[in-house]
Amino acid sequence: MPAMEVNGVAHTFITAGDFERSVAFYRRLLPFLGMREVADSPDTYYCVGGRTGFGIRRPEPEHAGQRFVQFRVGLHHHCWRARERADVDALHAFLLEIGAKIVHPPQDEPWAPDYYAVLFEDPDGIRLELNHVPGRGLFDTPTQRVGASLDARTG
C-alpha cells in the first residue's frame, strides 16, 4: 500500500541552449496547448495549465549554444496528455505550420491501450510529445504493464 498518491506533475523546467530561439518557440506552443503565461523574464519563461507547469531557463554562459542529447544522463523527453485524440492531430497541424521538427506524425503506439501520439523537437532538439489515451490508460488497472518495449531506443 503506497504512503500517498501524487496529484500530477507540478512543473517541469528545461534549460535551453539557445534561449531566445527556444522561448520564441514555446511562446507559440504552450498557449496552443492551453497553458497561460505566468512568468516572462530575461532568464525564464513559464506557463501553467492542465494541472502542470512548464518552464524554460537560460543556460549558464559556459553552456550557451549546446544542444540536447536524448540518451545523455538527464531528461529523455517530456509528454503532455491530450484530452481528445483530435487534439494530437490539431497539434501536428500546428507544428507543421510553425516549421517544428516532427520526429513522427500522429500514430498509434504500444505503450498503453489506444495510445496515440505525435513526437517532435524544440529548437534545441529536446524531444516533446503529446499523447491521448482514452480513459485512465495504464491507471485503470494495477495489472496492466508496458513491458520490455520501453527499452527500445527509437523515441
Side-chain angles (χ1 to χ4, degrees), residues 130-149:
L130 179 70
N131 79 4
H132 175 260
V133 177
R136 291 175 33 91
L138 293 177
F139 298 107
D140 274 340
T141 164
T143 59
Q144 265 184 320
R145 296 193 42 91
V146 174
S149 60

Side-chain angles (χ1 to χ4, degrees), residues 21 32 40 42-43 49 62 71 87 96 103 108 112 137 153:
R21 188 171 172 215
F32 184 86
D40 189 359
D43 292 328
E62 65 269 22
F71 285 98
D87 294 339
L96 291 172
V103 176
D108 294 313
R153 295 234 175 206

Side-chain angles (χ1 to χ4, degrees), residues 10-69:
H11 56 263
T12 299
F13 270 86
I14 61 167
T15 302
D18 184 335
F19 183 74
E20 284 73 20
R21 188 171 172 215
S22 288
V23 167
F25 173 82
Y26 285 105
R27 279 188 181 126
R28 295 182 77 184
L29 174 67
L30 297 177
F32 184 86
L33 295 175
M35 301 181 82
R36 69 179 172 82
E37 180 182 294
V38 293
D40 189 359
S41 71
D43 292 328
T44 304
Y45 181 71
Y46 181 58
C47 291
V48 298
R51 292 181 34 191
T52 193
F54 192 87
I56 298 89
R57 295 276 314 180
R58 181 179 299 280
E60 292 294 328
E62 65 269 22
H63 302 296
Q66 292 183 11
R67 292 202 32 95
F68 174 75
V69 177

Side-chain angles (χ1 to χ4, degrees), residues 25-26 67-71 76-78 88 91-96 99-109 111 117-130 152-155:
F25 173 82
Y26 285 105
R67 292 202 32 95
F68 174 75
V69 177
Q70 188 175 30
F71 285 98
H76 182 271
H77 74 283
H78 180 84
V88 175
L91 178 61
H92 179 246
F94 174 78
L95 294 169
L96 291 172
K101 180 178 178 187
I102 307 296
V103 176
H104 71 66
Q107 65 185 34
D108 294 313
E109 300 277 0
W111 318 125
V118 60
L119 185 64
F120 59 104
E121 292 182 354
D122 82 352
D124 287 314
I126 295 174
R127 294 259 170 121
L128 303 167
E129 178 181 4
L130 179 70
R153 295 234 175 206
T154 60

